[in-house]
Amino acid sequence: MANVVVELVASEPVRVIRATYSVLAFDAEGRLDPDRFENQQFALVESAVAPVIASSANESHPPVVDATARFIAQGGQWIPSPALARAINEAALGQRQYARL
Protein backbone atom coordinates (compact mmCIF):
# COMPACT_ATOMS: atom_id res chain seq x y z
CA MET A 1 0.00 0.00 0.00
CA ALA A 2 1.26 3.49 -0.78
CA ASN A 3 0.01 6.51 1.16
CA VAL A 4 0.81 9.73 -0.64
CA VAL A 5 0.17 13.22 0.74
CA VAL A 6 -0.20 15.71 -2.10
CA GLU A 7 -0.24 19.50 -1.88
CA LEU A 8 -3.12 21.07 -3.81
CA VAL A 9 -3.27 24.62 -5.17
CA ALA A 10 -6.65 25.69 -6.54
CA SER A 11 -7.73 22.02 -6.34
CA GLU A 12 -4.83 20.93 -8.56
CA PRO A 13 -2.01 18.65 -7.34
CA VAL A 14 1.33 20.47 -7.35
CA ARG A 15 3.76 18.30 -5.38
CA VAL A 16 4.12 15.20 -3.25
CA ILE A 17 4.74 16.18 0.35
CA ARG A 18 5.21 12.71 1.81
CA ALA A 19 4.89 9.07 0.80
CA THR A 20 4.88 5.99 3.01
CA TYR A 21 4.67 2.37 1.95
CA SER A 22 3.12 -0.48 3.94
CA VAL A 23 2.75 -4.22 3.51
CA LEU A 24 -0.80 -5.48 3.97
CA ALA A 25 -1.43 -9.01 5.23
CA PHE A 26 -4.38 -11.11 4.11
CA ASP A 27 -5.94 -14.20 5.68
CA ALA A 28 -6.57 -17.54 3.93
CA GLU A 29 -9.89 -16.27 2.55
CA GLY A 30 -8.22 -13.22 0.98
CA ARG A 31 -9.51 -10.70 3.52
CA LEU A 32 -7.35 -7.92 4.92
CA ASP A 33 -5.94 -8.69 8.38
CA PRO A 34 -6.69 -5.37 10.14
CA ASP A 35 -5.24 -6.51 13.49
CA ARG A 36 -1.81 -7.15 11.99
CA PHE A 37 -1.83 -3.80 10.18
CA GLU A 38 -2.91 -2.01 13.37
CA ASN A 39 -0.17 -3.74 15.39
CA GLN A 40 2.43 -2.67 12.81
CA GLN A 41 1.18 0.93 12.89
CA PHE A 42 1.26 1.07 16.71
CA ALA A 43 4.75 -0.45 16.68
CA LEU A 44 5.87 2.19 14.17
CA VAL A 45 4.66 4.96 16.47
CA GLU A 46 6.22 3.28 19.49
CA SER A 47 9.59 2.93 17.76
CA ALA A 48 9.50 6.63 16.86
CA VAL A 49 8.50 7.80 20.34
CA ALA A 50 10.71 5.47 22.41
CA PRO A 51 14.01 7.33 21.74
CA VAL A 52 12.42 10.62 22.82
CA ILE A 53 11.19 9.10 26.07
CA ALA A 54 14.55 7.40 26.71
CA SER A 55 16.51 10.62 26.14
CA SER A 56 14.32 12.52 28.58
CA ALA A 57 14.89 9.98 31.37
CA ASN A 58 17.53 10.95 33.93
CA GLU A 59 19.32 7.64 34.39
CA SER A 60 22.98 7.12 35.20
CA HIS A 61 23.19 3.95 33.06
CA PRO A 62 22.37 3.50 29.41
CA PRO A 63 18.83 2.18 28.92
CA VAL A 64 18.15 -1.39 27.84
CA VAL A 65 16.43 -1.20 24.48
CA ASP A 66 13.47 -3.45 23.66
CA ALA A 67 13.59 -3.66 19.86
CA THR A 68 10.38 -5.69 19.52
CA ALA A 69 8.37 -2.73 18.23
CA ARG A 70 11.09 -1.88 15.72
CA PHE A 71 11.01 -5.39 14.21
CA ILE A 72 7.20 -5.47 14.08
CA ALA A 73 7.14 -2.04 12.40
CA GLN A 74 9.80 -3.10 9.83
CA GLY A 75 7.66 -6.10 8.88
CA GLY A 76 4.95 -3.72 7.75
CA GLN A 77 7.08 -1.43 5.60
CA TRP A 78 8.67 -1.68 2.17
CA ILE A 79 10.79 0.55 -0.01
CA PRO A 80 9.84 0.77 -3.69
CA SER A 81 12.43 0.92 -6.43
CA PRO A 82 13.20 4.46 -7.62
CA ALA A 83 11.24 3.80 -10.84
CA LEU A 84 8.18 2.55 -8.95
CA ALA A 85 8.33 5.45 -6.45
CA ARG A 86 8.48 7.87 -9.40
CA ALA A 87 5.48 6.14 -11.04
CA ILE A 88 3.47 6.34 -7.80
CA ASN A 89 4.29 10.05 -7.40
CA GLU A 90 3.40 10.76 -11.05
CA ALA A 91 0.07 8.94 -10.65
CA ALA A 92 -0.68 10.90 -7.46
CA LEU A 93 0.02 14.15 -9.31
CA GLY A 94 -2.14 13.18 -12.30
CA GLN A 95 0.90 12.96 -14.60
CA ARG A 96 0.54 9.24 -15.37
CA GLN A 97 -2.39 7.06 -16.38
CA TYR A 98 -3.11 4.01 -14.23
CA ALA A 99 -5.76 1.31 -14.01
CA ARG A 100 -8.51 2.07 -11.51
CA LEU A 101 -10.03 -0.89 -9.71
Side-chain angles (χ1 to χ4, degrees):
M1 172 177 72
N3 288 312
V4 182
V5 178
V6 176
E7 179 182 0
L8 300 175
V9 173
S11 299
E12 293 294 321
V14 293
R15 71 181 174 121
V16 171
I17 295 176
R18 185 174 76 113
T20 58
Y21 308 95
S22 301
V23 175
L24 299 178
F26 296 87
D27 64 17
E29 285 79 39
R31 295 179 300 221
L32 178 66
D33 183 350
D35 292 334
R36 183 170 175 187
F37 180 71
E38 185 176 278
N39 288 340
Q40 290 168 335
Q41 294 304 301
F42 282 132
L44 185 60
V45 170
E46 182 181 335
S47 66
V49 172
V52 175
I53 293 171
S55 69
S56 65
N58 262 339
E59 297 182 25
S60 58
H61 343 82
V64 174
V65 176
D66 180 358
T68 304
R70 219 177 291 161
F71 288 111
I72 292 171
Q74 286 174 352
Q77 297 178 328
W78 62 282
I79 298 172
S81 68
L84 181 55
R86 187 172 43 259
I88 291 168
N89 287 351
E90 289 171 356
L93 295 172
Q95 300 168 344
R96 176 185 283 251
Q97 296 297 316
Y98 58 93
R100 293 180 184 252
L101 302 177

